[in-house]
Amino acid sequence: DVFESATRYYGKPEWRIDSVRINSAPVDVTPVAAWGSPWCNLVHFRKDPEALAAARNADKLGPQPRLLIAAPLSGHYATLLRGTVEAFLPTHDVYITDWQDARMAPVWLGRFDLDDYIDHIRAMLEFLGGGAHVLGVCQPGPPVLAAIAMMAEEDDPARPASMTFMGSPIDTRLSPTIPNVLSEEKSLSWFEENMIHTVPGPYPGMFRRVYPGFVQLASFMNMNWSRHVDAHWNFFNHLVEGDGDNVGKHREFYDEYLSVLDLTEEFYLQTIVRVFQEHQLARGIYRYRGTHLVKPELIRDVALMTVEGEKDDISGIGQTQAAHDLCVKLPEDMQTDYIQPGVGHYGVFNVGVEIGQLAVIGMALAVAVVIRGALKQAGRPDLYRPVLVWPVSAAIGAIGLWWAIERTFLNS
């Protein structure tokens, strides 16, 4: 059983999300493709409208805020964020990017590179309409920020109300981790020769050059090799002892973790060069399609939140916070930063008490943006700080103090 679980082929996982409880009332959920291209489907977790209206008293509250979760295109399927989706479902109308496995993409589909990723984010935001919220998890940080910067430059009415980046490599020169150092030490030719392979038959994408998901998986596992060995040794012991609960938890985690997809050669190599070697967005030299300079400093009205893990060994402290330094025209009261204590990279976006906390902070930020706009239209922007900023800041501070006391003293 241990050997079989460690060696078998893992296909694309299912979402396994069919309901959510809102105000203690069950609401049916159906994942559907709301928008799509050959390279990505935008999955909408559609709630039963009648059950949703009854659970929320929608006549008074209005529709739920739209949330686009930009899942990473870095080796795992979007279902790795299942817990994140479940955490936001009670309060948001959730959409998520479900990227295509490059080994399943026939060569006649052509290229898919980092700028194509930007195009997809823009197209999905235009589909959702203005005022949505974007959550970029890990890898999508730079292209999502670039997409929103271009929308701001063009005064695109479909630009989002807020953007949140979690564990994202906005500027990997800050607190460099082992993967960051490796990316800079090795030449581009080394990555081409050692990391890029050709898809074999009978996969639909045969002959396409890709960065295989299993290579990325091996890299991640080697970073914490002893932890994975211990996990499988414990798995063996739980099987011997007949401990079904722990066996089930192990299988659930590794069934997801060992399911991987391939990246196109051009997307992977461009990410290595532009994000990890030349830090183009952070240095203000990123040119979309090689010609159009991306200018995050033109973002003026999209609220910004950054989230980092205290023990993140993939995206070190400060790498995500760098987004604030790039958005220099964004008012300070439309920005916030949060460091999750005691968690690593996976814990930044994995379900748990932290996501619930972030939902509270994110909703407060979104409400602040709406009220700020209303006061500005009413000709009373002077009321924004005394009426909203100061009381809400005090409330969030009190909540944060309680969380700290609870973790330190009550849960020890």
Side-chain angles (χ1 to χ4, degrees):
D1 205 340
V2 174
F3 179 80
E4 187 274 338
S5 68
T7 57
R8 71 180 172 90
Y9 169 76
Y10 289 83
K12 183 178 181 179
E14 299 293 331
W15 280 105
R16 304 197 310 273
I17 299 176
D18 54 18
S19 67
V20 61
R21 299 194 72 84
I22 301 177
N23 294 329
S24 301
V27 176
D28 289 340
V29 175
T30 305
V32 296
W35 177 94
S37 80
W39 293 101
C40 184
N41 283 325
L42 180 62
V43 176
H44 179 209
F45 295 88
R46 187 173 60 195
K47 304 182 183 80
D48 178 81
E50 295 182 1
L52 177 63
R56 294 185 68 245
N57 194 1
D59 291 338
K60 293 183 178 180
L61 297 176
Q64 290 183 311
R66 289 154 292 142
L67 173 65
L68 168 61
I69 300 178
L73 181 52
S74 57
H76 281 102
Y77 290 98
T79 50
L80 192 67
L81 301 183
R82 183 184 295 106
T84 306
V85 171
E86 291 174 328
F88 280 105
L89 275 176
T91 55
H92 290 75
D93 187 17
V94 180
Y95 296 77
I96 192 170
T97 59
D98 187 13
W99 299 103
Q100 168 73 289
D101 182 351
R103 68 174 173 264
M104 305 302 290
V107 293
W108 52 261
L109 287 179
R111 293 165 51 88
F112 181 87
D113 60 20
L114 193 57
D115 290 330
D116 291 317
Y117 192 112
I118 293 174
D119 291 340
H120 275 65
I121 294 298
R122 291 197 61 172
M124 286 181 269
L125 285 172
E126 290 168 1
F127 171 80
L128 293 178
H133 304 272
V134 182
L135 172 62
V137 179
C138 187
Q139 170 271 322
V144 169
L145 182 57
I148 295 173
M150 294 172 64
M151 297 177 81
E153 181 179 6
E154 299 170 12
D155 197 23
D156 191 329
R159 64 188 181 276
S162 73
M163 52 185 174
T164 300
F165 301 112
M166 306 178 73
S168 295
I170 303 296
D171 188 351
T172 60
R173 295 173 297 178
L174 305 174
S175 304
T177 60
I178 293 176
N180 303 152
V181 173
L182 175 65
S183 297
E184 291 205 52
E185 286 181 346
K186 302 296 184 181
S187 65
L188 179 61
S189 61
W190 184 90
F191 285 101
E192 290 177 318
E193 294 169 4
N194 293 277
M195 297 296 178
I196 303 301
H197 301 270
T198 301
V199 177
Y203 292 108
M206 58 183 178
F207 305 127
R208 180 181 291 279
R209 298 285 284 171
V210 299
Y211 172 60
F214 71 82
V215 175
Q216 176 79 329
L217 177 64
S219 301
F220 277 141
M221 295 189 73
N222 279 328
M223 289 180 62
N224 297 282
W225 183 250
S226 60
R227 184 183 305 172
H228 291 290
V229 171
D230 290 343
H232 280 81
W233 176 248
N234 291 333
F235 176 49
F236 174 79
N237 288 329
H238 293 320
L239 285 168
V240 173
E241 297 165 0
D243 186 348
D245 289 341
N246 280 311
V247 166
K249 292 177 182 178
H250 176 96
R251 283 178 172 153
E252 182 178 2
F253 174 80
Y254 278 99
D255 282 356
E256 190 74 51
Y257 192 72
L258 298 177
S259 299
V260 294
L261 54 75
D262 296 352
L263 284 60
T264 64
E265 173 186 31
E266 56 274 14
F267 177 86
Y268 173 73
L269 294 179
Q270 283 184 5
T271 299
I272 291 293
V273 173
R274 296 185 182 185
V275 176
F276 294 98
Q277 292 186 341
E278 298 182 355
H279 319 286
Q280 291 183 4
L281 189 64
R283 294 170 55 209
I285 61 172
Y286 188 104
R287 292 188 178 274
Y288 170 78
R289 301 295 179 195
T291 58
H292 187 88
L293 185 64
V294 175
K295 303 175 182 178
E297 65 270 20
L298 298 182
I299 300 175
R300 299 173 181 266
D301 57 2
V302 182
L304 170 63
M305 180 179 185
T306 55
V307 183
E308 295 180 317
E310 180 185 16
K311 299 181 179 180
D312 194 334
D313 57 358
I314 303 295
S315 296
I317 294 291
Q319 294 186 13
T320 309
Q321 295 173 359
H324 297 279
D325 298 328
L326 300 180
C327 301
V328 295
K329 299 289 182 62
L330 192 62
E332 289 187 10
D333 55 18
M334 295 184 69
Q335 303 183 52
T336 189
D337 173 61
Y338 178 69
I339 296 179
Q340 297 184 46
V343 302
H345 189 70
Y346 182 70
V348 172
F349 54 85
N350 190 28
V351 68
V353 65
E354 289 83 7
I355 289 294
Q357 294 169 358
L358 293 176
V360 172
I361 298 173
M363 289 178 67
L365 183 63
V367 170
V369 171
V370 173
I371 295 179
R372 185 176 189 270
L375 290 173
K376 188 175 181 180
Q377 288 185 346
R380 294 303 307 272
D382 56 300
L383 295 179
Y384 179 65
R385 287 185 178 275
V387 171
L388 185 70
V389 174
W390 296 337
V392 170
S393 297
I396 291 177
I399 293 172
L401 179 61
W402 165 250
W403 286 338
I405 294 173
E406 182 183 36
R407 283 178 172 226
T408 303
F409 300 106
L410 302 183
N411 292 334
S412 58

